[in-house]
Amino acid sequence: MSIAIECHTESMESFSKLAPVEAVLFDIDGTICDSDPIHYYAFREMLQEVGFNNGEPITEEFFSEYISGKHNPDIGKFLFPEWDHDKYMKFMDDKEVLFCSLAKDQLEPVNGLHKLCKWIEDHGLKRAAVTNAPRANAELMISKLGLVDFFQFLVIGSECERAKPFPDPYLKGLELLGASPKHTFVFEDSASGIRAGVAAGMPVVGLATRNPEQVLKDAGGSLLIKDYEDLNLWNMLHELEPSIAENLDASDGNKQ
């Protein structure tokens, strides 16, 4: 059964107000690639090894609510409140090593991603990846998906003063691109990431790749889509095209 899509007039207005769009910001995990199943597997196996939850495997629902999209130090502190910082961060680092070894062979782009990236490039929009993932993971995923030359900047949450759900990483992305939040929108798949994008003053397209639609909507997602082939996404983009073209023509005229 196809996912139900929320696309009300009020939501579409939040994107039409962006005209002319100048930049697009992307989360990575679950947004450009369906990496959550790999993360879930790695957490499930490693948590069982240390006897978490009396050795019972965590569920996908537990992963979605308490782990997906969150910052590693926050995850470690939540899972192991009685462990010291170094101990739970060692667990998180080991989990990332396992993730990377699995991702090398299993990582796939979200359906329609490369079509969207071509549209963004063809329309001359600025773009950056903004993630809570460790830098090594983020660079691996971007490389595996063939997007090294697509993203102009990569912002890592742990390298900012505060990671998502705070707006700092998205504000840093805007600063690096020289873009205004009034002319930029975000792609995200988690409630934490959506809240960060909204707090930074931008409308957010929520990808319901794994997380429940209602969770993404409640976090502030303006448009919910199944993947990048979704007709509601393309209807929104096509509505923005005339203003983008006018802006490009004006920029070209100023250069002459």
Side-chain angles (χ1 to χ4, degrees):
M1 180 181 294
S2 62
I3 187 172
I5 302 297
E6 298 288 346
C7 187
H8 301 303
T9 301
E10 182 179 347
S11 298
M12 293 307 295
E13 285 180 353
S14 65
F15 291 100
S16 63
K17 291 176 181 177
L18 295 173
V21 173
E22 60 177 340
V24 184
L25 301 176
F26 286 83
D27 174 49
I28 295 180
D29 274 306
T31 299
I32 65 172
C33 53
D34 191 11
S35 52
D36 270 4
I38 308 175
H39 283 292
Y40 169 62
Y41 175 84
F43 270 109
R44 188 187 68 194
E45 296 301 301
M46 291 190 59
L47 286 171
Q48 272 194 280
E49 287 180 10
V50 299
F52 181 82
N53 193 32
N54 295 318
E56 288 293 318
I58 62 169
T59 63
E60 289 191 54
E61 291 75 17
F62 180 92
F63 172 82
S64 176
E65 183 171 357
Y66 298 110
I67 296 177
S68 179
K70 295 180 173 60
H71 189 212
N72 272 2
D74 296 333
I75 297 170
K77 188 175 183 179
F78 168 77
L79 293 173
F80 307 110
E82 296 182 355
W83 289 11
D84 64 35
H85 177 270
D86 289 346
K87 186 175 181 180
Y88 66 66
M89 285 309 299
K90 173 65 165 57
F91 175 91
M92 296 302 301
D93 290 344
D94 290 345
K95 176 262 158 187
E96 299 303 349
V97 171
L98 177 57
F99 169 82
C100 286
S101 69
L102 296 169
K104 289 177 181 177
D105 298 320
Q106 299 180 27
L107 205 64
E108 296 290 340
V110 170
N111 190 35
L113 173 67
H114 293 293
K115 174 183 175 183
L116 173 64
C117 290
K118 184 178 187 305
W119 184 92
I120 290 170
E121 286 185 308
D122 288 347
H123 289 82
L125 302 183
K126 302 173 184 177
R127 56 267 182 193
V130 180
T131 180
N132 271 355
R135 179 168 288 277
N137 285 24
E139 291 176 346
L140 170 66
M141 289 185 278
I142 289 173
S143 175
K144 289 292 292 182
L145 297 172
L147 297 177
V148 172
D149 294 330
F150 173 75
F151 288 116
Q152 296 162 311
F153 294 99
L154 170 60
V155 179
I156 304 298
S158 62
E159 297 174 6
C160 300
E161 185 173 346
R162 301 174 299 178
K164 304 175 194 177
F166 294 99
D168 304 40
Y170 278 117
L171 294 175
K172 181 65 174 179
L174 290 169
E175 178 187 347
L176 290 170
L177 291 173
S180 166
K182 295 181 180 180
H183 301 290
T184 304
F185 66 95
V186 174
F187 285 102
E188 268 284 358
D189 78 303
S190 70
S192 172
I194 290 175
R195 286 194 291 270
V198 171
M202 295 173 285
V204 181
V205 178
L207 278 97
T209 46
R210 295 286 168 178
N211 291 310
E213 291 176 73
Q214 193 61 46
V215 170
L216 304 183
K217 182 180 178 183
D218 291 345
S222 296
L223 173 65
L224 304 186
I225 62 173
K226 179 182 178 181
D227 56 30
Y228 297 117
E229 294 286 0
D230 194 286
L231 290 178
N232 285 306
L233 169 65
W234 287 96
N235 287 339
M236 181 269 285
L237 296 176
H238 291 324
E239 286 186 16
L240 293 171
E241 282 181 331
S243 65
I244 297 173
E246 290 177 8
N247 193 47
L248 285 174
D249 289 342
S251 297
D252 290 342
N254 291 335
K255 293 177 182 178
Q256 294 176 0

